[in-house]
Amino acid sequence: MLINSDNKEGIFVYTSGTLPYKLHEGTDGSVGRVFTLIVSDSWENVNVLNSKLEKIMEAYSK
């Protein structure tokens, strides 16, 4: 959970915690899903948090 306790904004990440039983075709990796909930009182901050989340996910997908 990446929630700022002061302003109650941030990113909540939730998933089943399991990988598919089958590897992604032609690779040695699995394709799975990660679900997130971005919480903020402004769309501007939602966009900022979403950009940060995309960078984190991109870093872990390589």
Side-chain angles (χ1 to χ4, degrees):
M1 190 168 8
L2 306 169
I3 302 289
N4 181 327
S5 61
D6 294 334
N7 62 9
K8 307 292 190 250
E9 294 183 338
I11 303 169
F12 180 75
V13 179
Y14 57 103
T15 183
S16 65
T18 61
L19 290 173
Y21 64 91
K22 200 170 156 183
L23 292 177
H24 188 59
E25 190 173 318
T27 70
D28 61 352
S30 297
V31 175
R33 293 185 177 144
V34 173
F35 301 97
T36 63
L37 175 65
I38 298 175
V39 180
S40 179
D41 62 359
S42 75
W43 282 111
E44 182 179 343
N45 199 34
V46 167
N47 291 329
V48 169
L49 291 169
N50 189 54
S51 292
K52 288 180 181 181
L53 177 62
E54 286 178 357
K55 288 177 185 176
I56 292 168
M57 295 303 293
E58 186 177 319
Y60 280 101
S61 65
K62 293 180 180 183

